[in-house]
Amino acid sequence: MKRLFSKRTPEEKEKYTLDKRAYSIFNNLIDFIITAGIVIAIGIGAFSIFVDVKKNNDLKIGYTSYSMEDLGAVAWLKVDKTEINFPIMQGSTNTEYLNKNPLGQMDLAGSIFLDSTNNPKFTDPYSVVYGHHLDNGLMFGTLDPYLKKSYLKTHTTGTIETNGGPTYKLKIFSCFHVQSTNEIIFNASAQTTTKKVQAYIEKNDPDHLTYDESLPIVALSTCVNATSENRVVVFGTLQN
């Protein structure tokens, strides 16, 4: 009986050979598909990591590998002896750059941006620049130390270079908390005058550093944290 079943006809042998080849081809195809899927998944993961790392690196170095023209920035802010070295964007509204980075990508870190009602050449008597408060000294998280007078006194200078326009010398003279609903500090429209801002500063920070009251004022504002309505606001003057 064993010998009978061990014998195959030529047709059976040919069919067995074809089946074996088909099975082998099918297995190889499945292996290829699985391997290709793994490679694609690894590639997508690696690309995602690359994008995230590049975003973080751009953020950490302040997008300094780009020019204002590359980014469409209206100006560039530098504060001496700090990590503040960022392009200043400006949107049609003050929400446009809250969650959009200077490269135009959606990003919770957002951008440093000028109030939408201000002149992009910083020719207004009062201008407001906003930025998110991030940890590890990123974005306007570096404004916190200005709440201490000892720090403020030794970190008073910087520049605001406008795109295709003048470069201003920044002289910082005051910093304190302001409620986000304040209509004097956070109203950068033409109706806001330096006199109103100056009076508010005198009232809330009488120990501010001396400054030239004839010069335009710029406010650098950031939130204290995600839930507070308080803002840390640094005030400085601009001079050609």
Side-chain angles (χ1 to χ4, degrees):
M1 183 69 71
K2 184 177 180 181
R3 289 176 55 197
L4 180 64
F5 280 101
S6 64
K7 293 181 179 180
R8 294 193 179 102
T9 64
E11 292 79 9
E12 288 175 333
K13 289 181 179 180
E14 183 178 359
K15 183 176 182 305
Y16 173 78
T17 301
L18 290 175
D19 288 346
K20 188 175 181 180
R21 286 179 181 175
Y23 180 76
S24 177
I25 292 171
F26 178 77
N27 274 347
N28 289 337
L29 180 61
I30 294 298
D31 289 343
F32 174 79
I33 292 173
I34 292 173
T35 302
I38 292 172
V39 170
I40 291 172
I42 291 173
I44 292 173
F47 181 73
S48 298
I49 292 172
F50 169 78
V51 170
D52 289 341
V53 168
K54 187 177 186 306
K55 277 186 179 181
N56 289 335
N57 189 54
D58 285 338
L59 179 59
K60 287 178 182 177
I61 65 173
Y63 299 91
T64 53
S65 60
Y66 302 91
S67 68
M68 282 189 276
E69 290 74 16
D70 291 336
L71 301 172
V74 297
W76 202 286
L77 170 66
K78 295 180 182 179
V79 180
D80 299 333
K81 297 191 290 185
T82 76
E83 298 299 318
I84 296 176
N85 184 11
F86 286 99
I88 299 176
M89 311 305 291
Q90 186 178 38
S92 56
T93 69
N94 283 341
T95 60
E96 182 173 341
Y97 280 97
L98 276 176
N99 296 307
K100 183 168 75 172
N101 67 29
L103 299 175
Q105 302 162 334
M106 292 303 297
D107 192 334
L108 292 178
S111 301
I112 304 298
F113 63 94
L114 177 65
D115 192 284
S116 62
T117 64
N118 275 136
N119 187 295
K121 300 298 182 185
F122 284 81
T123 56
D124 293 328
Y126 179 62
S127 304
V128 184
V129 177
Y130 305 92
H132 281 308
H133 183 286
L134 300 185
D135 293 333
N136 302 318
L138 296 178
M139 301 293 279
F140 272 180
T142 53
L143 295 184
D144 285 355
Y146 276 98
L147 293 166
K148 296 180 179 180
K149 279 292 187 291
S150 58
Y151 182 91
L152 189 152
K153 290 177 180 179
T154 57
H155 298 76
T156 59
T157 60
T159 58
I160 292 181
E161 179 186 359
T162 61
N163 192 346
T167 296
Y168 299 95
K169 293 179 181 178
L170 173 65
K171 183 66 179 293
I172 294 170
F173 64 90
S174 179
C175 176
F176 52 91
H177 286 123
V178 181
Q179 282 283 304
S180 62
T181 53
N182 188 287
E183 295 183 356
I184 295 176
I185 299 305
F186 297 112
N187 178 8
S189 66
Q191 289 75 28
T192 298
T193 66
T194 53
K195 293 298 181 185
K196 289 181 181 179
V197 176
Q198 288 168 354
Y200 191 87
I201 293 172
E202 290 293 337
K203 179 181 178 181
N204 290 273
D205 183 22
D207 296 326
H208 61 76
L209 304 184
T210 57
Y211 68 99
D212 188 339
E213 296 183 5
S214 67
L215 296 175
I217 292 178
V218 61
L220 311 178
S221 173
T222 190
C223 56
V224 171
N225 56 52
T227 59
S228 175
E229 293 199 1
N230 273 341
R231 301 291 182 264
V232 176
V233 185
V234 171
F235 298 92
T237 57
L238 297 178
Q239 183 175 17
N240 283 331

